[in-house]
Amino acid sequence: MPDDHKEHDHKELRARWHATLLRASGKTPDPAPYADNLLTRWDEPQRRYHTTAHLTAVLDHIDVLEEHAEEPDLVRLAAWFHDAVYAPDRSENEERSARLAERALPEAGLTEAQTAEVARLVRLTVTHDPADGDHNGETLCDADLAILAAAPDAYAAYAAAVREEYAFVPDEDFRAGRAAVLRQLLALPRLFRTPYGAAEWEGPARANLATEMELLDS
């Protein structure tokens, strides 16, 4: 991304972070250091899909779904933290991201209960399987998985970016692992839990997953 575009995107994300943190805490210290720390993480060089573009997309999807959430601003904060720690060759990214939230958010003015809820939501992205009635969890998980319902060209770009993040994995191993993930997703009775997600994203997502599965098998 050119530097001027990146700075514009960072400026908008900082403004969104500031507004969300202020609404959630009501009494926040300077939000800039927290935003800068998170944006530095989201800009790490090993990322190809889990970038600030993904963060922006998840936040945009939460805006669409926010009426479903009980605490939409805590869901937004969870989006900021959900991939804040990301190493493709590590399996504990979500846990480490949740612990980062548990350290940072009390300093930023959130209560113990608010911090615990954000961390719980971050950990939920390991499985994307919220309990029925977990409206905050359903909102975050649907927003995170909404890329699966993107237009075919955007979905293809997403799949290619995921492959780039796992460039250290040989092709045969990657295809086997990716196919297992796709089969697991396709076997779920439902990918999306919010009414909007079920109505608008379920069908396109399943079509994209099936298409990618066919390409992997070819």
Side-chain angles (χ1 to χ4, degrees):
M1 182 187 296
D3 288 344
D4 54 344
H5 289 169
K6 177 182 285 190
E7 185 52 41
H8 177 267
D9 290 346
H10 280 197
K11 183 177 180 181
E12 290 196 348
L13 282 167
R14 286 189 190 96
R16 294 174 82 163
W17 166 263
H18 188 171
T20 301
L21 196 59
L22 184 59
R23 287 193 303 267
S25 69
K27 53 177 184 1
T28 181
D30 181 6
Y34 301 95
D36 290 345
N37 179 279
L38 286 164
L39 289 171
T40 297
R41 292 173 178 275
W42 283 91
D43 275 335
E44 290 165 342
Q46 77 274 13
R47 299 169 183 255
R48 293 297 182 271
Y49 169 64
H50 295 88
T51 65
T52 53
H54 171 58
L55 171 60
T56 299
V58 174
L59 292 171
D60 288 346
H61 289 128
I62 291 170
D63 289 347
V64 172
L65 302 172
E66 68 174 333
E67 290 186 2
H68 185 75
E70 294 175 0
E71 299 162 300
D73 284 319
L74 298 187
V75 178
R76 291 184 177 97
L77 291 174
W80 274 90
F81 281 95
H82 83 288
D83 285 321
V85 178
Y86 184 74
D89 59 342
R90 302 285 290 272
S91 61
E92 69 277 12
N93 292 316
E94 293 85 359
E95 178 60 29
R96 294 171 68 204
S97 295
R99 290 178 184 175
L100 178 66
E102 289 169 338
R103 293 194 302 272
L105 290 175
E107 295 179 3
L110 266 69
T111 66
E112 182 178 343
Q114 289 175 316
T115 299
E117 175 63 359
V118 172
R120 181 189 74 83
L121 292 170
V122 171
R123 291 185 172 102
L124 191 57
T125 61
V126 175
T127 61
H128 292 95
D129 187 21
D132 288 341
D134 179 5
H135 288 186
N136 286 343
E138 290 172 345
T139 301
L140 178 62
C141 290
D142 276 20
D144 194 26
L145 293 180
I147 182 61
L148 301 180
D153 57 342
Y155 182 90
Y158 146 74
V162 170
R163 179 66 185 105
E164 288 181 25
E165 283 188 340
Y166 287 88
F168 58 90
V169 178
D171 281 343
E172 184 175 347
D173 293 341
F174 178 82
R175 289 163 71 92
R178 181 67 177 172
V181 170
L182 297 181
R183 280 193 294 270
Q184 182 180 29
L185 289 170
L186 286 166
L188 293 173
R190 50 182 179 159
L191 294 165
F192 298 99
R193 309 299 183 88
T194 65
Y196 184 94
E200 301 295 329
W201 296 337
E202 187 80 23
R206 289 190 177 278
N208 282 331
L209 292 169
T211 297
E212 186 183 358
M213 193 75 192
E214 291 174 3
L215 292 172
L216 288 172
D217 288 340
S218 63

